[in-house]
């Protein structure tokens, strides 16, 4: 574990000198020091870092929830839903069409719809932090799209599970989906009406006790969420949403910062460990085609979100590039597909696709001004002037 931290730090420091973002460098450290690459092997089995990696994802999304206040959700709920629905319709629809075009099978196409359609919450969060855009007007719709994606993700996984497992009962799939949705509704009600009680329970002047309390709550709810069929990350996000609106919210935001950075690095390092570069050449052309489809769909989705919010080409470019990366959800689907005995080309395809976009996404986000120069300006004028709040 110490070697993982140091390797990620050394590569990030070297890359920082030439302006590279940290995310692809953390992933590269995992690839170079993992079991699939010749040379020094720090970790023989990627599952050895599975719990630390999960904790990194939980803390990244917990931090995102702290930044995303309930007032923002109440003020811009309809527009967030419209932007999120537009993003999902374009990207999931394109992913499904791309899957059928490959001709690998119906179940494979359904998997690819999710792979191409859902952004990486962890990478999006890290990009927003690294680029210093958390306070930008377009960050609210970006976070809103992530929330809509996570809700869709819970229902999508519940619906996909019986298909991949060969369940012969539609009722079982409906029951799993209902259980997941019910738990999400319970968390939403707690966030909406229980903030005062939660704030009282967590209030303390002792930083040590506060850290132990919020960390325990985030991890516990994440674990319970997973048991109910909801992604653990969305459970942590909801806890952050609740605590961010309490009197202790600002202190928690500062205290969780180093934890988020440390374990977030391990998350991306472990991500790299799971990638076998030797499998990538066999699926090179499908990967490049999928990346091209995703680039086009993300630009269209960014334009659509900018239209909804009345933003100009600059914010539209930021939305398009920030949401470009794919990550943890795609890898979950790869694992499910392998376990279900689907086409063996799926796993290397997903690994290659995720790797390319995990590198390209942060790089594109840092240079979104280039995209904004070619996007239409007048066509984006909506009901509100550019820069209006949510």
């Amino acid at each position: 574990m110490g070697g993982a931290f140091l390797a990620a730090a050394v590569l990030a420091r070297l890359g920082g000198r030439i302006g590279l973002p940290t995310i692809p460098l953390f992933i590269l450290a995992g690839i170079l020091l993992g079991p699939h690459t010749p040379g020094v092997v720090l970790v023989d089995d990627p599952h050895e870092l599975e719990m630390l990696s999960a904790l990194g994802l939980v803390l990244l999304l917990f931090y995102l929830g702290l930044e995303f206040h309930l007032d923002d959700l109440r003020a811009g709920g309809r527009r967030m839903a419209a932007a999120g629905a537009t993003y999902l319709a374009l990207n999931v629809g394109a992913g499904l069409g791309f899957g059928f075009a490959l001709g690998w099978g119906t179940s494979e196409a359904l998997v690819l719809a999710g792979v191409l359609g859902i952004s990486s919450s962890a990478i999006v969060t890290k990009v927003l932090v690294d680029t210093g855009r958390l306070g930008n007007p377009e960050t609210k719709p970006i976070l809103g799209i992530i929330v809509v994606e996570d809700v869709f993700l819970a229902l999508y996984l519940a619906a996909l599970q019986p298909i991949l497992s060969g369940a012969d009962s539609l009722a079982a799939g409906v029951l799993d989906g209902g259980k997941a949705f019910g738990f999400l509704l319970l968390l939403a009600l707690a966030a909406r009406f229980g903030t005062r009680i939660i704030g009282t329970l967590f209030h303390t002047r002792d930083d040590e006790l506060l850290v132990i309390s919020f960390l325990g709550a985030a991890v516990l709810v994440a674990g319970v969420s997973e048991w109910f069929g909801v992604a653990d990350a969305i459970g942590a996000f909801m806890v952050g949403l609740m605590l961010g609106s309490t009197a202790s919210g600002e202190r928690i935001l500062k205290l969780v910062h180093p934890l988020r950075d440390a374990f977030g690095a391990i998350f991306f390092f472990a991500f790299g460990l799971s990638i076998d570069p030797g499998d990538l050449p066999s699926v090179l052309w499908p990967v490049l085609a999928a990346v091209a489809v995703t680039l086009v769909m993300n630009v269209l989705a960014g334009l659509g979100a900018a239209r909804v919010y009345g933003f100009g080409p600059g914010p539209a470019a930021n939305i398009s590039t920030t949401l470009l990366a794919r990550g943890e959800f795609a890898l979950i689907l790869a694992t499910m597909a392998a376990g279900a005995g689907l086409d063996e080309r799926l796993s290397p395809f997903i690994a290659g696709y995720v790797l390319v976009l995990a590198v390209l996404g942060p790089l594109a986000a840092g240079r979104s001004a280039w995209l904004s120069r070619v996007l239409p300006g007048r066509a984006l004028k909506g009901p509100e002037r550019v820069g209006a709040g949510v």
Side-chain angles (χ1 to χ4, degrees), residues 5 13 49 52 55 77 98 113 116 137 174 192 208 218 225 236 278 280 286-287 314 345 370 375:
F5 276 120
R13 287 171 71 91
L49 292 181
L52 292 176
L55 183 57
F98 180 81
L116 271 66
V174 172
R192 175 65 179 86
E208 180 184 14
S225 297
L280 303 184
V287 165
R345 291 172 289 184
W370 297 356
L375 291 181

Side-chain angles (χ1 to χ4, degrees), residues 114-329:
V115 170
L116 271 66
I118 306 295
S119 305
S120 167
S121 300
I123 297 179
V124 169
T125 305
K126 192 70 167 58
V127 166
L128 289 173
V129 172
D130 289 350
T131 55
R133 293 177 184 163
L134 283 172
N136 286 15
E138 70 273 11
T139 297
K140 299 306 181 192
I142 289 172
L143 299 185
I145 290 171
I146 289 296
V147 171
V148 173
E149 282 187 328
D150 282 336
V151 174
F152 171 81
L153 183 154
L155 301 177
Y156 177 79
L157 280 179
L160 194 62
Q161 184 64 46
I163 296 174
L164 296 185
S165 63
D168 53 7
S169 173
L170 179 62
V174 172
L175 180 62
D176 289 341
K179 186 171 67 172
F181 183 77
F183 185 69
L184 282 172
L185 182 60
L186 181 63
L187 289 178
L189 290 173
R192 175 65 179 86
F193 299 106
T195 303
R196 182 175 299 178
I197 297 173
I198 292 169
T200 302
L201 291 173
F202 278 82
H203 177 70
T204 175
R205 295 181 179 179
D206 190 318
D207 284 350
E208 180 184 14
L209 293 177
L210 186 58
V211 169
I212 294 170
S213 299
F214 74 67
L215 187 59
V219 175
L220 176 64
V221 175
V224 175
S225 297
E226 195 170 38
W227 188 75
F228 274 97
V230 178
D232 50 6
I234 189 61
F237 174 87
M238 295 300 292
V239 175
L241 191 68
M242 297 175 205
L243 294 180
S245 301
T246 67
S248 302
E250 289 297 325
R251 285 174 61 210
I252 294 174
L253 196 64
K254 293 178 181 177
L255 291 169
V256 77
H257 200 280
L259 294 170
R260 179 209 70 192
D261 287 345
F263 289 98
I266 290 296
F267 170 80
F268 295 114
F269 181 87
F271 179 27
L273 291 175
S274 65
I275 295 174
D276 185 351
D279 291 337
L280 303 184
S282 63
V283 290
L284 177 62
W285 293 113
V287 165
L288 293 179
V291 168
V293 169
T294 303
L295 286 170
V296 172
M297 291 300 107
N298 264 56
V299 170
L300 293 177
L303 290 170
R307 174 70 183 178
V308 170
Y309 281 83
F311 291 152
N318 287 346
I319 294 170
S320 299
T321 55
T322 302
L323 291 166
L324 183 59
R326 301 296 187 261
E328 61 278 1
F329 177 57

